[in-house]
Amino acid sequence: MERKPYRLGIISALQEEQAGLITQMRDATVFTRGKRDYVHGNLWGIDCICVLSRLGKVASAATAAMLIERFDVSHLLFTGVAGSADSEVRVGDIVIASELVQHDMDTRPLFPRFEIPLTGLSRFPSDAESNRYLLEAATNFLDQDLLTEISEESRADFNLTQPRIHQGLIASGDEFIASALRLQELKMDFPDLLAVEMEGAAVAQVCHEFGIPFSVIRTISDNANEDSAVDFLSFIRHVASVYAFHTIRRLCALLP
């Protein structure tokens, strides 16, 4: 079977999370579909389409399906922020999803809790090969770009001392987790949970059903507790957007 040309779809939920990528794109063309702007062009040598999905599972699933069906992407990457769900995962760390689950899916007694009906799956694995490229790109960013691209003031404000990369389970749901009690409930359901957000597992389901390799990378912006909204947008502007920009720049240099 002939392999289709590499075309990377890049989704983010918020404009700030994709800041700078569009301005770096060569020969950019904008297509508006479903009230979203899909920007197609060449990003550091890679054929790419960038789009903002907005927040939530429905929005991100619709965006992913459009990228696959209308724009014929070969691979899909979701990049953005998430709340920590583990004491070892700190603000400024990076989590690359090895699996994703929808923590608000519950169709009992028809199907087991968390299982996506008629798929037999509750956890959707991401693409191992894509994750290897992503891990190398994120590692290179932290080792070579962090101190020069994140200001000293921002590193002090958000206590970015020695950010680390984690790989494991991310849970998604149409719920902004801002309660330590709610997070504790999720940890009881998923003891290996590393991070929580609102889009990734929906994208994972779409990619599974279309047979498209995907990855999800998240910068930890908060601890998913009562302080989660404090300086959230400031973190995205000054930290997370920089993480995403330079990680994707380095990723494009590694891709085939």
Side-chain angles (χ1 to χ4, degrees):
M1 180 177 178
E2 185 178 354
R3 192 171 183 176
K4 66 165 60 176
Y6 202 102
R7 174 176 287 180
L8 178 63
I10 303 174
I11 306 178
S12 300
L14 298 172
Q15 183 174 0
E16 291 84 357
E17 294 172 330
Q18 217 171 80
L21 292 179
I22 305 303
T23 59
Q24 292 295 319
M25 189 174 282
R26 296 174 54 193
D27 304 320
T29 304
V30 180
F31 300 89
T32 301
R33 297 286 189 279
K35 299 184 178 180
R36 288 161 177 76
D37 290 338
Y38 295 79
V39 186
H40 179 212
N42 189 289
L43 195 57
W44 294 297
I46 297 296
D47 186 17
C48 287
I49 299 172
C50 294
V51 60
L52 304 177
S53 65
R54 308 175 192 170
L55 277 69
K57 293 195 301 177
V58 172
S60 58
T63 305
M66 181 68 76
L67 279 171
I68 296 167
E69 279 290 275
R70 171 63 179 80
F71 297 99
D72 199 28
V73 297
S74 64
H75 295 71
L76 204 149
L77 170 66
F78 200 109
T79 176
V81 297
S84 170
D86 190 276
S87 60
E88 296 299 316
V89 180
R90 300 179 175 88
V91 171
D93 284 3
I94 293 171
V95 177
I96 298 172
S98 57
E99 295 180 305
L100 296 107
V101 64
Q102 296 181 37
H103 66 72
D104 56 355
M105 176 59 70
D106 189 352
T107 58
R108 294 175 296 180
L110 300 178
F111 297 92
R113 189 182 181 195
F114 307 123
E115 183 177 303
I116 304 302
L118 307 181
T119 68
L121 296 173
S122 58
R123 298 186 180 204
F124 289 87
S126 54
D127 183 57
E129 181 181 21
S130 299
N131 284 353
R132 285 196 294 270
Y133 288 123
L134 200 53
L135 175 61
E136 184 175 350
T139 300
N140 290 341
F141 162 71
L142 290 182
D143 289 346
Q144 301 176 40
D145 299 327
L146 180 72
L147 295 182
T148 57
E149 301 300 335
I150 305 288
S151 70
E152 184 177 353
E153 180 182 6
S154 293
R155 296 199 307 271
D157 287 345
F158 296 103
N159 194 28
L160 307 181
T161 52
Q162 291 182 312
R164 297 186 298 166
I165 302 172
H166 311 265
Q167 296 186 82
L169 178 66
I170 291 180
S172 309
D174 285 321
E175 174 186 5
F176 185 84
I177 306 299
S179 160
L181 179 60
R182 180 69 180 108
L183 183 61
Q184 185 178 13
E185 293 173 350
L186 290 176
K187 285 293 281 186
M188 291 179 65
D189 292 327
F190 310 104
D192 56 338
L193 183 62
L194 296 183
V196 290
E197 36 92 309
M198 299 178 66
E199 297 87 20
V203 171
Q205 180 183 344
V206 171
C207 289
H208 167 77
E209 294 182 358
F210 280 94
I212 295 295
F214 74 94
S215 292
V216 175
I217 183 170
R218 295 286 188 168
T219 302
I220 298 301
S221 60
D222 58 84
N223 292 310
N225 58 23
E226 286 74 10
D227 298 324
S228 294
V230 178
D231 293 329
F232 178 75
L233 289 179
S234 176
F235 181 89
I236 293 177
R237 292 191 189 101
H238 300 294
V239 178
S241 63
V242 181
Y243 272 52
F245 180 90
H246 288 285
T247 299
I248 291 173
R249 175 176 64 85
R250 291 189 171 276
L251 176 66
C252 288
L254 296 170
L255 291 177

